[in-house]
Each structure stands twice: as structure tokens, then as C-alpha cells.
Amino acid sequence: MIPNAYRTVHCNEVRKSHIGQTVTLCGWVNSARDHGGVIFLDLRDREGLTQVVFRPEENADLAAKSHDLRDEDVLQITGKVAARLAGTENDKLGTGDVEIVATEMKILNKADVLPFQLDRELSNEDLRMKYRYLDLRRERLNRNIRTRHKITNAARNYLDAAGFVEVETPILSNPTPEGARDFLVPARLSPGKFFALPQAPQQYKQLMMVAGLERYFQIARCFRDEDLRADRQPEFTQIDIEASFIQRDDIVTLVEGLLAAMFKAGRGIDVPLPFPRMTYQEAMDRYGSDKPDTRFGIEINDMADVFANSGFKIFKSTLDNGGVVRAINAKGFAGITTGQMIRLNELAIEAGMKVKQLAFIKVERDANGVLEYKSPLWKFFGEEEKAALVQKLGVEENDIVFFYAGEWEDACNILGRVRLEIAHMQQLTKDSTALNFLWVVDFPLLAFDAESNGWVAVHHPFTRPKAEDEHLLGTDQNGKARAEAYDVVLNGYELGGGSIRIHEGDLQSKMFSVLGIGPEEQRHKFGHILDAFRFGAPPHGGLALGLDRIAMLVSGEDSIREVIAFPKNNKACDLMTDSPTNVDFKQLRELYVQSTWKPKVKDEAADAKA
RNA sequence: GGAGCGGUAGUUCAGUCGGUUAGAACGCCAGCCUGUCACGUUGGAGGUCGCGGGUUCGAGCCCCGUCCGCUCCGCCA
């Protein structure tokens, strides 16, 4: 920090070597300890604490004045750096060997009593949000925000060094036909028309490639009007990357280096490279998720070979009809409580389970020391089947095995969710510092949407099919086509994803058609990009990383709110500014906009009947 | 849209089976205190038990509704 008219040192700067010097500091009163005579003050700025001492015998007036200081008053203190009395050093402070004997004090601003104490735990989220600037003054959030700066800076430097050019793209653009809800902005100069805030700079980044920029990046604010979660905000930040003349592995290598640089800058650790890779199919088969948390096992096992001729009819018939029978072994979880069991079944039903209870086998020793297989279905299994099952799943005492028989997709969803919940119940990741990075590759290109009775893009409509699957596009094999798409995952969080794009007009046009966007609509909504592809578009691809989630994981937080200076609550409101807000009729009229919203009125007729 | 958890002093929380005047810690205010650093010490102030209704002789506690917050599902190309 540069000394200036306000101060000569910051509050974590003075050391023994300064003894005898006169210094001036500025900061907040962190605490005042008034002994009637001598008064101690901890002065705090963002760098740390320095103890200031007021002695009546040195300066009686000043000491008298210091009695009135209160926490969080803003002061400027001038004094002489002195060694602390022998035995009173404080080794918890960097400045703990010395203290400032005050000779001058200027109260820059008095502070009212704060609505909460900065040095104690605060669980009231309303208060934290309402007085966000005070919450940010606390050490934890202050550190998070500064860590976020460090990793953002590291990303920028890394990409710059790799030849990437930072370009800003419009915030006011057009709504997207697919994907999340758009935030709309009325266009006053085009009455009746609307802009949308970008969900991502997707089309612009591709047009940058057509423009010959070759390597683009942007720390881009993105907006999606969907419901919030601990790791989702309506406005969030992506590190958006696109490059020309590259293939998947080029992007993968680049991004591995980028993430390593960010974790190095933010947490000082060396992330081992390269990250493991897994196909989408494998991720779903083993973990029941396209963003597997690999910090623990409880993997999903396919039991088709074990139960091909099972004595348990439901398993056998499911297999005979093309379904799957899968199982997970929760090691050491035979002590599961009734409540936990109920919770797991609720979760499984929510995830699509057609029956009321997960089939299970619990292995415990009875009073006589005999190993018991407690299960509603154990009795249906033949001896060979039992042996094969125990062998395949490595079943031991105190294990509990859960089964699901049905369609592949349901089995993945249900067992995937149950797996995560068991890990949560067993607290398997509680004190873990593991950083399990992972690439998930070869996503399906398309998914069938029952609601619209059509195909939708799994990633987005500009994603390139894998060359060997391109012929499937537009046939009855649409669902089998895989995409040149990849996600980077950390500890069960999707950090980012991307793809190699379509750069040919005819293929892009075909893709739109498969998605049910006809020639007319294509021209209207995507004319610019289809045009662009006619004028020499290079092969290109890219990826976007969620900066908020990365900052959260670097900081060891559970919510991205802890790494965003001014976040929204789970109704997308800002309790500090009380945003969003009503606007005057006049303002709306200028925009040619009228609200159709009506406040809920209580139905008195219905009440009377009741 | 749905589910779960929570809401008691400024803050963090306790509050038994529905029963006398709703407690503690920290903070706050005032006094004392010349080596503290979570200073100590004496005293004091501070409550719409989120809000509304109901049951009851009596509700912080039970019931219904509602608001707010958090988490999750749906949703998030």
C-alpha cells in the first residue's frame, strides 16, 4: 500500500524494525479495552490489526478522549512505534511485538452500534443480506472477495499468455429460442420490441471466430431467469473461451492449465494434471450422474450377469424385457436408521422409482455371532446367485446393498441420487480436502423431449456431432448421435462445459431442422450466423467456466453467494436495495409496457363455503 | 409449482407435559479499573415469542392460514 496523506503504514505493517519511528495509520476500531487509566485499541484495516495504546502520562487529553471510542469508529492515529512490555507480546498478531503509543488521533467518522457483531457467527441470512456491506467487512467474506480477484486475475493472465484476446460482447441482444428463460428489456426506440440479456455470449463468440480473431475470451456476465440454488444465481459470471483450428484435446489441455493456475493463485496448491476422463455413458453407468462426485465409491454395479436366471421373478423379467438391474453397496451403512431409510425411499420415488421401496440386503451379525442377510428378497435367490452377488459387490458385514430394476435411465437417476444421499448421511466428504477434477466427454447430442414431442439439444444447437455419428442425424437414430461436447467436473459440481461447434452452414441448417426449427424461423432467428458460415467460417470450438462456482470451491464455501459481493436471495431479490422494485406508470408508458400482474385477492366466496 | 427445515432480546440460542413475572451468553448503556488483547468487575436497559385466526380456564408450546429466510425437486440449451 502506498503511503499517502492519510497514512504512512497499514495495520499489518509495523514490526520491531519500526521501533522509534513515528507512523500514522487509518482504520476501524476493532476493539477497545479501557482500563480506566491506560486504554488499548485494536485498529483494523483490510491488512490486519495494530494495537494502539493511550497513556494518560504521555498525553492526558488524548487519553481522556479515547474513553469515548466505540467499535467500528473510523480513526486516524499518529504515534510512536514502541516495543511492547516484556511478557505482553501477542503472537497471534503479525504486529504483536509492538504497539503504537498514540500522540494524535483524528476521528474520521463515528459509527453507530452495528446490527450484528462482526466477530461472532451470524446465521440470520436476512440480516447478512440487508447489511451486506457489513457482512463483507467481516474477515471471511473479505477474504473470499479478494481470493476471487486473485483467481480472476490468474485466469486473465493465463489466457493472455496463451494468445487469447479479451472482447466484450453486447449485453442487449436477442432472446434465445431454446434454453433458460430470458430477462427481457423493453426497447424504447423500437416500440413493442424487446432485447434479452445474454444467457451466454454463445453466438457472438462463434462470430468472433468467423471474424478471424482465432482466440477469444471474456469474463462475461450471464443472465438466466430461472429458479435459484446455492450454486445458481440469476446473474453469474462465466470465463468464456473460443478458439479456431483446434480440437477437443486442445481445449481440454488449455482448460486444465487454466484451472490449475486459478487454484494455484487462489489456494496455493498444485492440481495434478491431466484430469481423468470418462465418457457420459460411463459416468451414468457408474455414478448415475453426468457430473459424478468421485471422492467416494458406492458405485453403481450392473447385475445382469448375476440375475440373468434369478429366482426373483421381478429381476429376471426386467432383464428379459430389456431393462436393467443395478445395485449399490453402501459399505458400513447397515446401521441405517428407519428415518434415513424412509428418506432414501422418498428420494428414490422423487427420482422416478415406480415401486414404494428400494429392494435391499442388510448384512449384520446376530446375537449368536452368525452373519445374517436381512432382506425381503434374499429368500428368492439361489445359492449360486447369492455367492455371485456377494462376490461381485464385495458384500461384507455391516454393508447394505440397494437394488433397482427397471429402465436404464430411471436406474441411473434413482441410484445416482440415493448414492449421493448415502454419502451425505455417512458424511463421507465432511473433512475432505480432495479436489477430484474430471472430464466427462461424448455427451449425447440430442434428447427427446416428451413435452414438445421433439428433439432438443442436450448442450446447445451449435454443438457438433461426432464425425462418426453425423450420419445418424435426421434419422430415427437421432438419440444415438454423440456430440463433440465435454464438461469439466469437480467434486460433483459442473465447473464448465463446451463443445466443438458446427462451422458449416448446411450442417447447422440440418441441425436446426432436426430441432424442429423450420427454414423460415432459421432465416429469421439465425440468419446472421447461417450467413456468417457461408463466408469462410473456420473450424472452432470452446468452453465456458462458471467463475462463481470455481471461486466457491477455491474458497471452500458451500454457496456461490459467499463469493459474490452483492448476491440475490432465493427469490432473486436483493434485500439491501429492495430490488426489484415498482416503477412509475410514466416510466412504463415511455417503454410502451403495461403489467398484467394482479395482486392475489382472497377468495371470500370460497372462504364462506369452507 | 412442490417438499423439507427454520423464525423467541440488537445477535447467537435455550425454553420440560400447555400453567406463576419468557431465560442465558455476547452486544448495548452507566460506574469502577494503568498492561489488556474474547480484558476484568458492579449495576442497568432491552421482548408484538414473524403475522392472523382457532382450540383451551390458560398458548412461545397444540391446530389452520399466511409472510419471510435457507435447502432440495421441477426448471436451469
Side-chain angles (χ1 to χ4, degrees), chain A residues 327-341:
Chain A
I328 55 178
N329 181 5
K331 305 293 293 178
F333 199 45
I336 183 171
T337 65
T338 309
Q340 288 173 323
M341 194 66 129

Side-chain angles (χ1 to χ4, degrees), chain A residues 512-545:
Chain A
F512 282 139
S513 300
V514 172
L515 295 171
I517 303 172
E520 184 90 354
E521 196 181 353
Q522 286 181 35
R523 244 189 325 278
H524 178 61
K525 286 179 175 154
F526 299 104
H528 56 288
I529 203 160
L530 290 171
D531 275 350
F533 287 173
R534 291 180 12 233
F535 299 130
H540 61 282
L543 163 144
L545 294 169

Side-chain angles (χ1 to χ4, degrees), chain A residues 236-513:
Chain A
F236 60 100
T237 307
Q238 286 190 344
I239 301 178
D240 196 44
I241 297 171
E242 195 80 5
S244 298
F245 310 118
I246 44 96
Q247 295 180 323
R248 180 186 77 189
D249 288 0
D250 299 310
I251 298 280
V252 162
T253 306
L254 175 87
V255 170
E256 285 176 351
L258 172 60
L259 286 168
M262 293 170 79
F263 273 80
K264 180 74 176 178
R267 212 194 252 189
I269 53 169
D270 291 299
V271 173
L273 301 180
F275 303 160
R277 295 188 202 180
M278 190 180 288
T279 63
Y280 170 84
Q281 182 72 38
E282 186 183 355
M284 295 304 288
D285 279 336
R286 288 174 59 190
Y287 300 99
S289 167
D290 63 356
K291 45 178 178 164
D293 189 342
T294 59
R295 288 175 297 174
F296 50 89
I298 328 182
E299 286 189 28
I300 300 170
N301 290 272
D302 186 81
M303 305 303 284
D305 49 346
V306 173
F307 295 125
N309 293 299
S310 179
F312 188 51
K313 278 183 193 158
I314 293 173
F315 283 4
K316 185 169 185 338
S317 65
T318 300
L319 291 169
D320 288 346
N321 293 324
V324 299
V325 178
R326 303 228 157 147
I328 55 178
N329 181 5
K331 305 293 293 178
F333 199 45
I336 183 171
T337 65
T338 309
Q340 288 173 323
M341 194 66 129
I342 290 168
R343 174 78 198 117
L344 285 184
N345 282 312
E346 281 172 358
L347 201 80
I349 288 165
E350 216 170 53
M353 181 167 72
K354 306 287 192 293
V355 293
K356 279 185 183 158
Q357 274 198 314
L358 285 163
F360 68 91
I361 298 173
K362 194 157 68 167
V363 187
E364 284 175 315
R365 215 167 276 280
D366 70 10
N368 302 319
V370 179
L371 215 52
E372 263 195 310
Y373 292 82
K374 298 174 184 168
S375 165
L377 29 126
W378 190 247
K379 59 183 177 228
F380 298 110
F381 297 156
E383 288 310 314
E384 267 183 41
E385 229 177 314
K386 288 178 183 171
L389 183 159
V390 166
Q391 206 261 326
K392 175 152 193 173
L393 296 174
V395 180
E396 299 171 305
E397 184 178 351
N398 292 328
D399 290 356
I400 180 163
V401 176
F402 292 98
F403 297 92
Y404 185 78
E407 288 177 26
W408 175 81
E409 209 177 338
D410 285 339
C412 293
N413 287 338
I414 292 162
L415 293 178
R417 288 266 289 279
V418 167
R419 170 178 180 270
L420 288 180
E421 185 58 29
I422 289 170
H424 180 70
M425 287 169 173
Q426 290 188 288
Q427 302 194 331
L428 295 183
T429 58
K430 194 164 170 257
D431 297 313
S432 168
T433 55
L435 293 172
N436 283 21
F437 287 94
L438 173 75
W439 286 101
V440 177
V441 300
D442 294 353
F443 277 80
L445 184 69
L446 300 161
F448 192 76
D449 177 40
E451 201 180 317
S452 62
N453 194 35
W455 293 94
V456 294
V458 167
H459 190 50
H460 58 56
F462 311 105
T463 300
R464 185 171 201 83
K466 284 181 87 78
E468 60 265 40
D469 293 351
E470 211 176 300
H471 67 279
L472 299 171
L473 211 57
T475 71
D476 56 358
Q477 303 281 293
N478 271 336
K480 292 213 171 126
R482 289 165 303 164
E484 283 287 2
Y486 33 80
D487 277 2
V488 60
V489 173
L490 170 57
N491 294 353
Y493 287 96
E494 182 193 328
L495 290 189
S499 62
I500 302 301
R501 326 295 184 190
I502 296 168
H503 62 274
E504 310 93 320
D506 51 353
L507 182 57
Q508 185 63 66
S509 201
K510 184 174 182 185
M511 184 67 187
F512 282 139
S513 300

Side-chain angles (χ1 to χ4, degrees), chain A residues 27-201:
Chain A
W28 290 261
V29 175
N30 197 63
S31 75
R33 296 175 294 279
D34 188 341
H35 289 256
V38 68
I39 288 175
F40 297 99
L41 201 74
D42 285 343
L43 196 67
R44 183 196 72 237
D45 66 14
R46 69 173 208 190
E47 304 300 329
L49 296 176
T50 296
Q51 175 164 286
V52 178
V53 56
F54 295 87
R55 293 204 189 103
E57 61 270 28
E58 305 261 350
N59 188 332
D61 287 349
L62 196 56
K65 228 172 121 188
S66 72
H67 288 296
D68 294 327
L69 294 173
R70 292 291 178 269
D71 285 359
E72 300 306 313
D73 286 345
V74 186
L75 306 181
Q76 181 188 48
I77 299 279
T78 299
K80 194 171 262 186
V81 181
R84 292 201 185 185
L85 299 186
T88 66
E89 298 88 353
N90 185 348
D91 54 16
K92 288 182 215 154
L93 295 182
T95 58
D97 287 332
V98 295
E99 60 195 5
I100 311 296
V101 182
T103 53
E104 285 175 57
M105 171 173 76
K106 189 172 178 188
I107 297 174
L108 300 173
N109 210 348
K110 289 289 289 178
D112 278 357
V113 175
L114 268 43
F116 50 83
Q117 287 167 258
L118 299 187
D119 59 351
R120 292 177 77 88
E121 276 301 306
L122 174 65
S123 62
N124 189 327
E125 296 287 327
D126 305 35
L127 265 192
R128 293 186 64 198
M129 290 300 181
K130 184 170 178 195
Y131 300 98
R132 186 65 171 179
Y133 44 88
L134 294 181
D135 202 20
L136 287 166
R137 200 185 279 176
R138 285 141 61 92
E139 205 259 335
R140 170 181 160 204
L141 285 200
N142 196 280
R143 179 169 18 92
N144 287 354
I145 295 297
R146 294 175 75 181
T147 297
R148 182 178 174 129
H149 161 71
K150 280 187 197 159
I151 66 174
T152 307
N153 206 34
R156 205 170 243 134
N157 291 339
Y158 176 92
L159 289 166
D160 175 61
F164 284 78
V165 177
E166 187 168 13
V167 183
E168 292 173 89
T169 53
I171 292 294
L172 297 175
S173 58
N174 275 343
T176 43
E178 291 189 69
R181 288 188 196 90
D182 291 304
F183 281 100
L184 294 177
V185 180
R188 181 179 58 84
L189 297 176
S190 302
K193 294 190 177 178
F194 291 85
F195 295 108
L197 304 183
Q199 294 181 24

Side-chain angles (χ1 to χ4, degrees), chain A residues 534-589:
Chain A
R534 291 180 12 233
F535 299 130
H540 61 282
L543 163 144
L545 294 169
L547 178 61
D548 309 281
R549 285 184 193 169
I550 295 170
M552 170 183 92
L553 290 161
V554 167
S555 298
E557 294 286 358
D558 293 328
S559 167
I560 60 173
R561 279 170 219 185
E562 308 301 340
V563 296
I564 295 173
F566 297 102
K568 307 269 191 287
N569 73 4
N570 64 7
K571 289 207 173 67
C573 295
D574 176 353
L575 297 177
M576 183 180 72
T577 60
D578 197 23
S579 165
T581 185
N582 295 315
V583 294
D584 291 339
F585 172 73
K586 183 168 169 282
Q587 220 172 344
L588 289 175
R589 191 178 52 192

